[in-house]
Amino acid sequence: MARFDDSGQRLVTLGKRITLWNVARRERIEKGPSLAHAAQVDFSPDGKVIVAKNTLGDVLLVDAAHSTNGLGSGAAPTGRVRRSGSLSTAR
């Protein structure tokens, strides 16, 4: 599953992990938490939050605007809705 933000400059993909891409440079910007049984991913209307859901009904919210402190790495949802800090810088 993949979605572009409204500007078309960023792409978020959902596989084993949530990954944020810079489309123009064709490079990974950040990688984030995994989500078991991942089903859908999208940006919020303002582009500041990435929302992902799985087939179990869990929803994961990730800060896409300030995603540099790595709080999201390795996290998985534990309830119906969980906010996971941000993505970790890809290296």
Side-chain angles (χ1 to χ4, degrees):
M1 170 51 83
R3 292 285 185 185
F4 288 95
D5 69 356
D6 285 343
S7 71
Q9 297 177 0
R10 296 181 302 167
L11 173 71
V12 63
T13 59
L14 183 60
K16 290 185 178 183
R17 294 192 169 278
I18 297 171
T19 306
L20 187 61
W21 302 87
N22 179 308
V23 175
R25 293 192 310 228
R26 294 184 177 188
E27 64 186 27
R28 184 175 64 198
I29 299 170
E30 321 237 4
K31 62 181 177 177
S34 60
L35 183 63
H37 309 287
Q40 294 181 337
V41 66
D42 207 346
F43 287 93
S44 63
D46 63 6
K48 294 181 180 179
V49 177
I50 294 170
V51 181
K53 78 174 225 46
N54 65 14
T55 58
L56 304 174
D58 294 318
V59 176
L60 183 64
L61 306 173
V62 180
D63 183 357
H66 304 97
S67 51
T68 57
N69 65 8
L71 294 175
S73 60
T78 58
R80 297 296 287 179
V81 176
R82 177 179 180 192
R83 182 180 249 334
S84 177
S86 65
L87 298 168
S88 61
T89 304
R91 298 198 193 245

